[in-house]
Amino acid sequence: MKTVWILGDQLTLENAALAGCDPRDTCVLMIESVARGRQRRYHQQKLVLVFSAMRHFAAGLVQAGWRVDYHRLESTPSFLDGLSRHVGLVKPSHIRILEPNDWTMQEALPQMATEIGTPIELVPNNLFLLGRDEFRVWAGGSRRILMEHHYRRVRQRFDILMNPDGTPIGGEWNLDAENRKTVSEWRRAGCPRPVAITPEIPDSVTSEVIRLVAERFDDHPGKAEKFWLPTTRRGALQWLERFVAERLPGFGPYEDLMLEGEPMLFHSVLTPMLNLGLLRPLECVRSVVAAYESGRIPLGSAEGFVRQIMGWREFVHGVYWLKGPQYVELNGLNAQRPLPGWFYTGETPMNCMRACLRQVIDSGYNHHIQRLMILGNFLLLSGVNPKQALGWFSEMYLDAHDWVMAANVIGMALHADGGFMATKPYAAAAAYVNRMSDYCSGCRYKAGVRTGPDACPFNLLYWDFFARNEKRFAANPRVSMAVQTWRKRPEGEKALVRREALEFLDGMG
Ligand SMILES: Cc1cc2nc3c(=O)[nH]c(=O)nc-3n(C[C@H](O)[C@H](O)[C@H](O)COP(=O)(O)OP(=O)(O)OC[C@H]3O[C@@H](n4cnc5c(N)ncnc54)[C@H](O)[C@@H]3O)c2cc1C
Ligand code: SF4
């Protein structure tokens, strides 16, 4: 008898560790570890998502004829405890496992194998479009790699939105020029709004997990009872179908828009399920391409979505394995401020920050621009320590996993990797927020004011950031203009901005 151990973010029947195994001489092992659930103070709904998805997946395996040894969190303090009990019970010749999605688990396996006295065999991870080695070979030893080059290569390789002659459909690889409409353009288009997302009604399995999580992880952020997502493959497929039918047409044009009271807008909210394996990246891409080919959605929306999955998702995954576990230790801008406590309460007079924080505390979700240009931008400009920021993002989001967080937070949002991921820091003042959202009209601060009691903190922090990092960015062609503008401002004005920025930072708690 051999064992296939399936982790909570590898929940697909296409899991390569299962391939070629026969249910007659294979036992599937699944372990809910309390220690893993407490590795960080994960949002309660994240724990519900993972444990409920695992229980449903295990039930599906049993129905399909597999023998499953399932260790529930009520009686399983750690992975090692579950493994030891399994080995005592089943006595497998060896344990097969798909390469874990994170360094911590991957590096822990040899020690576990020694402790249980049973070999653990790693099977190459097939959850992504590109294998880890393939990305590494492509990236070579380059000092900087560009997402756009990677994206074109992946589209060609999988023949997605391509003409027979090898050119991209529509003539351009990237249709962003048609996308990314501002709030004024949205108003001029008659304020289109998406069909509201209907929260999933928990079945008995999910209800039981909600109760357990609320009881045992009551010191974690969020409310388990507000859980709202599907946790089965069937539910996830329906969720994908509804996104394609109802929100995808508006996805491209309004990808960067932010509206109060519209937390998901036209976004897919697929990552919570996709990152667990309930959906496969290529099937998401193909259903979007099929909608385009049948004339139901514009090319801009299809290309925008395809780029997110084949481009960005694969790229950040590749960077995670390319750069190694020490990548998350980087702090290229030497940012040392502690994370403000109100990131866990949302209690701030800044309307944009309050809206995004309340949303993530309530639901475990923000869309990309809220993460990057509101929360990430604030942390970047304030000089919050990247490791603390990473810890917060990892705790709060239902779709958070080490492989996706590292490059997005350390590289993209905080520019802490010296510019490997992004050629410029994603730094923006209030004008950007005002252009892309309706947050500023309901704010106690004024987006157009640069100093004084009404000045938007983003304005103060933006210039303070370039003042602090003047030398570093003066030679960067993508942001040197900001440095030049700062240098030209009168000395008295500069001193005032820096003093007010410092007062804000020192008072932010
Ligand atoms: C600071 C920061 C933190 C982030 N944290 C996470 C995280 O914890 N988990 C996570 O999956 N993504 C994360 N992202 C990436 C992106 O914001 C989310 O994937 C996206 O918002 C998820 O919502 P959605 O499914 O509605 O995506 P949509 O906007 O509908 O996009 C479609 C799909 O594209 C993929 N995608 C888009 N952008 C990215 C990206 N930059 N990296 C990886 N995949 C991408 C996702 O699979 C997503 O489902 C983060 C980005 C930033 C800047
Ligand atoms: S004025 Fe500033 S703080 Fe207020 S919502 Fe706009 S950008 Fe945010």
Side-chain angles (χ1 to χ4, degrees), residues 77 108 241 318 395 432 436 439 456 467 480:
E241 237 172 70
E395 286 174 0
Y432 174 87
M436 299 311 300
Y439 293 140
C456 167
S480 58

Side-chain angles (χ1 to χ4, degrees), residues 46 239 243 247 251 255 264 266-272 274-275 281 284 304-317 365-373 375-377 379 392-394 396-410 412-414 421 426:
K46 163 78 176 279
W239 194 271
F243 161 66
R247 300 195 301 286
F251 176 82
E255 206 177 332
M264 284 78 190
F266 296 95
H267 290 267
S268 65
V269 198
L270 287 173
T271 35
L274 184 59
N275 292 353
C284 296
F305 183 86
V306 166
R307 178 151 29 91
Q308 304 310 314
I309 300 265
M310 305 193 97
W312 282 112
R313 186 171 193 268
E314 290 296 318
F315 190 72
V316 300
H317 177 250
Y365 176 84
N366 286 130
H367 71 66
H368 184 66
I369 297 303
Q370 295 173 315
R371 297 185 207 204
L372 182 64
M373 298 309 295
L375 302 171
N377 184 27
L379 294 165
W392 179 83
F393 276 107
S394 304
M396 297 304 287
Y397 288 85
L398 303 193
D399 55 16
H401 296 264
D402 288 2
W403 64 264
V404 66
M405 279 285 157
N408 271 307
V409 177
I410 299 292
M412 201 188 297
L414 301 183
M421 263 292 290
Y426 283 92

Side-chain angles (χ1 to χ4, degrees), residues 139-180:
S142 310
R143 207 171 62 79
R144 187 166 279 153
I145 49 177
L146 288 181
M147 198 292 284
E148 196 62 33
H149 295 165
H150 145 90
Y151 168 55
R152 291 178 188 187
R153 196 177 63 100
V154 182
R155 252 177 76 183
Q156 281 167 326
R157 152 97 194 271
F158 288 88
D159 193 19
I160 296 294
L161 294 178
M162 299 299 298
N163 291 314
D165 66 356
T167 56
I169 288 182
E172 303 285 343
W173 290 98
N174 179 327
L175 298 176
D176 259 0
E178 296 172 21
N179 290 340
R180 315 198 156 198

Side-chain angles (χ1 to χ4, degrees), residues 43-54 206-207 209-211 213-214 223-225 227 231:
H43 198 290
Q44 291 187 12
Q45 292 172 36
K46 163 78 176 279
L47 296 173
V48 173
L49 173 74
V50 176
F51 294 141
S52 169
M54 285 175 72
T206 307
S207 300
V209 176
I210 289 174
R211 191 186 56 72
V213 169
K223 291 260 172 286
E225 297 81 0
F227 186 71
T231 58

Side-chain angles (χ1 to χ4, degrees), residues 269-284:
V269 198
L270 287 173
T271 35
M273 292 74 80
L274 184 59
N275 292 353
L276 294 189
L278 297 181
L279 293 170
R280 308 303 315 275
L282 204 52
E283 76 189 344
C284 296

Side-chain angles (χ1 to χ4, degrees), residues 350-353 430 433 439-440 443-447 456-458:
M350 298 174 74
N351 197 34
C352 52
M353 293 292 291
V433 182
Y439 293 140
C440 298
C443 187
R444 165 240 174 282
Y445 298 109
K446 305 245 176 314
C456 167
F458 272 116

